[in-house]
Amino acid sequence: MSTPILDIRNLSVDFRQEKDLIPAVQDVSFQLMPGETVCVVGESGSGKSVTSLAIMGLLVPTAQLRGEIWFQNPNRNAAPVNLLGLPPDDRRAYRGGQIAMIFQEPMTSLNPVYTCGSQVVEAIRLHSPVSEEEAHRQAIDLFREVKLPEPEAMMERYPHQLSGGQIQRVMIAMALSGNPALLIADEPTTALDVTIQATILELLREVRSRRQMSVLFVTHDMGVVSEVADRVVVMYRSKVVEVANAYDLFAQPQHPYTKGLLNCRPTPERRLHRLPTVSDFMQVKATPEGTVQIEPQPRSVIDNNPRFTPVSAAEQADRYQQLIQRLPLLSVHHLSKSYPVRSGLFGRKTFFNAVDDVSFDVYPGETLGLVGESGCGKSTLSRVLLRLVEPTAGEVMFDGKSVFQLNESELRKLRQEMQIVFQNPYGSMDPRQSIGSALIEPMMIHHIGHSHQERYQKAVALLERVGLDESAMSRMPHEFSGGQQQRICIARTLTCNPRFIICDESVSALDVSVQAQVLNLLKDLQQDFGLTYIFISHDLSVVKFVSDRIMVMNQGKIEEIGTADQIYTSPTRDYTRQLIRAIPSATLDEIQERSRLINA
């Protein structure tokens, strides 16, 4: 039996908040073997990222740590060392060299005023006594290893000149610059398109095999876990609740929280009336001692609930026929949006077509899913539809009226009926404005309600409808979780009594269980208020669950449009098939075969 490269024993981390100690990690223990990939999975606040930062020694000085973190580099003939027992200078010798880390947001990890090449060269020289020329050569080799196009040219480019996937490859190259034995990847694909995510996951698998590294992969996405994990550590509320090899965890999960995580993500093969959430699988009860007790829900809660049954083909066909019998609420005809771009030695002006001759209809009560990679034109299209951006050509008709021919007062009236929910809920709210003010302000602008009391009561009723209560009215945005913030943003859109809402990547940044809650909420609100949606996402699994029809965009054009089942089961375009193949969801047979190859 080989010695673990990482052995965490009874790790606890507390953060001081005024006079209180807030436990972030409690009594966590697990091991990572040489050449193994262990996934630490859980929702935001579970303690998984704090655990990874504790290993790296990157926690704030006020953090209080207990326990042991033993590390032994299999490439060096050195005795195991307890990282928590090292002084800061000795700890720094391990960080970035023998243990490296990739973060979730690559753009925030790079300095925007230096070229990508110079930053990797600096990392190489920090860990190896080599010349500037040799470090430059090694950096190019690293760029080539992580499959960056034109590695020599990439050396001279700045972070803002690269795509999200390319920036993450630069970060992987920087992490590899010290030839680490352990690579920690903290949500490295969460902010990426599903196709780019697939290429990054494949790259990490190749690098691990080629360099014989160990990988600690932190994520909340069980689809990603199925693609990369040899073993899985499940964390909930700062504690480890289950540890198992990947096949056993997916075949027979033991803890109700694990069962909830596995079931709350939509699967394109089976479309449910409603997504289960973690709370459907377990009950959380407070004990008199102040601790938390978790009890599994009776299996009958899920098995006998008609809301969690698959939607039949006949049901989908009937709903589609009912939708298209009405006149379209939104009609788009040959819509285009171009931006001038200067290029060449003399700055010759050309045009980039963000949206290129797009035409489609949306019917009352329908959800039209809009999918495609970053840069395909999805968000630009949404802003043109709402006339937040003026078009280059084309026409948009809403309820028989031309959106582009309205005067200012008519446009303001229209914006009551056409609303948008953005991806980042916190960035959509004024951090200095209370939730109550944020909800009442749109009603004042559009003269909805006859008094402050009437508007206040409507705001409270909408908060209750999205799962919050009146106490939220006096609180500030930063006091809520990401999922709660998105619920508040949805409530704010409803204050204007809209008929049409664009959801622009509105669940992409949420944990899978919170995502399921918000998706269920959107479907409930559609039924209660008669809403029509355009639902924008790069995740075809999510789009298929929520949509009646799906429109696929690529490079500003519509690739294809059809019912959700048609697009998934019988795509006509190679680009759509590529999106479907990129959905992370390995089968049990694939997980078992990967385990067999690793252990062979």
Side-chain angles (χ1 to χ4, degrees):
M1 188 78 176
S2 58
T3 302
I5 184 174
L6 183 71
D7 187 358
I8 299 179
R9 304 175 187 174
N10 307 114
L11 176 66
S12 295
V13 180
D14 298 323
F15 293 102
R16 181 166 292 283
Q17 190 176 58
E18 297 179 351
K19 296 182 179 181
D20 298 324
L21 281 179
I22 309 301
V25 172
Q26 299 183 65
D27 201 28
V28 166
S29 299
F30 63 88
Q31 294 180 335
L32 177 63
M33 306 306 292
E36 183 182 37
T37 296
V38 168
C39 280
V40 181
V41 63
E43 299 171 278
S44 295
S46 63
K48 57 188 190 301
S49 291
V50 174
T51 300
S52 65
L53 292 172
I55 297 168
M56 291 293 294
L58 293 176
L59 292 173
V60 295
T62 54
Q64 299 184 13
L65 290 84
R66 301 183 304 279
E68 300 172 345
I69 302 176
W70 290 90
F71 174 76
Q72 182 175 27
N73 191 337
N75 303 322
R76 303 187 182 187
N77 294 323
V81 59
N82 180 14
L83 297 176
L84 293 187
L86 295 177
D89 288 344
D90 293 344
R91 185 73 176 273
R92 195 175 297 116
Y94 289 88
R95 183 168 56 240
Q98 298 185 55
I99 307 174
M101 189 167 183
I102 308 167
F103 296 94
Q104 177 176 347
E105 286 290 344
M107 182 62 83
T108 61
S109 303
L110 291 173
N111 192 323
V113 301
Y114 292 100
T115 64
C116 296
S118 65
Q119 295 183 66
V120 176
V121 166
E122 180 185 24
I124 292 171
R125 298 193 71 191
L126 184 65
H127 300 292
S128 303
V130 297
S131 65
E132 182 85 20
E133 293 75 17
E134 174 60 19
H136 189 274
R137 185 193 64 77
Q138 290 184 20
I140 293 176
D141 289 342
L142 285 170
F143 280 5
R144 192 172 289 115
E145 182 178 3
V146 298
K147 299 182 180 179
L148 275 168
E150 303 177 332
E152 291 84 359
M154 287 291 177
M155 292 287 292
E156 305 303 321
R157 292 183 183 167
Y158 290 87
H160 73 272
Q161 296 176 294
L162 276 61
S163 68
Q166 289 173 336
I167 296 173
Q168 195 61 288
R169 289 172 187 270
V170 172
M171 290 306 304
I172 294 173
M174 187 179 293
L176 298 177
S177 63
N179 195 28
L182 170 61
L183 178 65
I184 301 174
D186 188 1
E187 303 271 14
T189 62
T190 299
L192 303 178
D193 292 333
V194 65
T195 50
I196 300 173
Q197 173 180 265
T199 62
I200 295 297
L201 293 178
E202 179 61 29
L203 172 63
L204 288 173
R205 285 192 293 263
E206 292 178 5
V207 169
R208 184 198 72 164
S209 299
R210 183 165 54 248
R211 291 177 171 249
Q212 290 298 300
M213 288 190 312
S214 300
V215 177
L216 187 67
F217 199 107
V218 177
T219 184
H220 65 260
D221 191 336
M222 297 302 287
V224 171
V225 173
S226 71
E227 295 280 349
V228 301
D230 301 320
R231 282 191 306 122
V232 185
V233 177
V234 182
M235 293 189 67
Y236 176 68
R237 292 194 174 189
S238 75
K239 295 182 179 180
V240 172
V241 295
E242 186 167 357
V243 180
N245 68 58
Y247 179 83
D248 290 341
L249 184 109
F250 281 89
Q252 293 182 320
Q254 299 301 308
H255 197 275
Y257 179 68
T258 310
K259 296 176 183 178
L261 287 180
L262 288 170
N263 284 276
C264 63
R265 177 174 169 80
T267 56
E269 296 85 3
R270 192 174 66 130
R271 182 178 180 181
L272 303 178
H273 287 94
R274 189 178 184 86
L275 289 173
T277 62
V278 168
S279 61
D280 293 312
F281 289 83
M282 66 183 195
Q283 304 174 31
V284 180
K285 299 180 179 180
T287 65
E289 295 78 20
T291 60
V292 171
Q293 181 179 347
I294 299 173
E295 296 180 0
Q297 291 275 26
R299 186 63 208 178
S300 58
V301 172
I302 295 291
D303 292 343
N304 299 332
N305 194 327
R307 298 182 304 167
F308 302 134
T309 56
V311 181
S312 69
E315 287 178 282
Q316 295 179 58
D318 288 345
R319 174 171 167 78
Y320 178 65
Q321 289 302 318
Q322 292 173 9
L323 289 170
I324 63 175
Q325 286 175 5
R326 303 174 65 181
L327 291 175
L329 178 64
L330 183 78
S331 292
V332 180
H333 304 289
H334 305 290
L335 188 65
S336 296
K337 176 60 183 177
S338 301
Y339 293 97
V341 178
R342 294 194 178 274
S343 61
L345 181 62
F346 299 103
R348 183 171 60 90
K349 186 164 74 171
T350 59
F351 289 91
F352 168 70
N353 296 321
V355 177
D356 191 359
D357 195 26
V358 167
S359 299
F360 62 93
D361 293 325
V362 186
Y363 297 93
E366 179 185 24
T367 298
L368 176 67
L370 179 53
V371 297
E373 298 172 283
S374 294
C376 73
K378 307 187 300 293
S379 293
T380 301
L381 174 61
S382 70
R383 283 152 178 76
V384 175
L385 293 178
L386 297 174
R387 204 172 156 186
L388 300 175
V389 175
E390 295 296 329
T392 304
E395 183 179 51
V396 174
M397 304 293 293
F398 182 81
D399 200 16
K401 298 178 182 178
S402 174
V403 174
F404 302 139
Q405 294 179 7
L406 300 178
N407 60 37
E408 187 174 336
S409 62
E410 291 171 329
L411 182 60
R412 174 174 290 191
K413 176 65 177 175
L414 178 68
R415 283 185 173 150
Q416 281 186 241
E417 302 185 79
M418 303 175 72
Q419 291 285 312
I420 186 168
V421 181
F422 293 100
Q423 177 176 355
N424 182 358
Y426 186 72
S428 304
M429 293 186 284
D430 186 337
R432 300 165 298 179
Q433 188 178 41
S434 70
I435 301 306
S437 297
L439 268 62
I440 291 173
E441 184 180 49
M443 291 187 274
M444 296 176 61
I445 292 172
H446 292 289
H447 308 292
I448 298 171
H450 298 92
S451 66
H452 176 77
Q453 183 63 26
E454 185 177 340
R455 293 171 186 139
Y456 182 92
Q457 291 302 326
K458 180 173 181 178
V460 171
L462 288 172
L463 282 175
E464 291 174 347
R465 185 62 192 83
V466 299
L468 299 171
D469 56 37
E470 187 176 359
S471 65
M473 293 286 286
S474 60
R475 296 165 64 188
M476 306 301 285
H478 71 270
E479 298 181 67
F480 295 89
S481 68
Q484 290 172 326
Q485 289 171 3
Q486 197 61 286
R487 288 171 181 268
I488 292 167
C489 288
I490 292 170
R492 186 175 59 180
T493 66
L494 297 176
T495 59
C496 296
N497 304 320
R499 298 163 63 193
F500 172 74
I501 298 177
I502 296 177
C503 301
D504 189 1
E505 300 277 10
S506 55
V507 298
S508 298
L510 304 179
D511 292 330
V512 286
S513 58
V514 179
Q515 180 185 87
Q517 296 171 20
V518 174
L519 289 173
N520 289 337
L521 173 64
L522 288 172
K523 296 193 78 169
D524 291 343
L525 294 174
Q526 182 176 49
Q527 185 173 359
D528 294 347
F529 293 92
L531 299 173
T532 302
Y533 294 133
I534 288 182
F535 190 91
I536 300 174
S537 180
H538 61 260
D539 189 334
L540 199 56
S541 298
V542 170
V543 171
K544 185 175 184 294
F545 166 74
V546 79
S547 302
D548 299 297
R549 288 187 300 149
I550 295 176
M551 185 167 74
V552 183
M553 284 191 72
N554 182 26
Q555 297 181 353
K557 293 181 177 291
I558 296 176
E559 287 279 337
E560 60 180 307
I561 186 169
T563 66
D565 278 347
Q566 286 173 349
I567 293 297
Y568 181 75
T569 59
S570 306
T572 61
R573 309 285 291 189
D574 288 339
Y575 179 75
T576 308
R577 286 189 279 268
Q578 178 186 347
L579 289 178
I580 293 171
R581 286 195 299 268
I583 298 172
S585 183
T587 65
L588 284 175
D589 289 341
E590 291 169 338
I591 296 172
Q592 191 173 39
E593 177 63 15
R594 185 174 70 236
S595 177
R596 186 190 65 80
L597 292 174
I598 291 170
N599 295 324

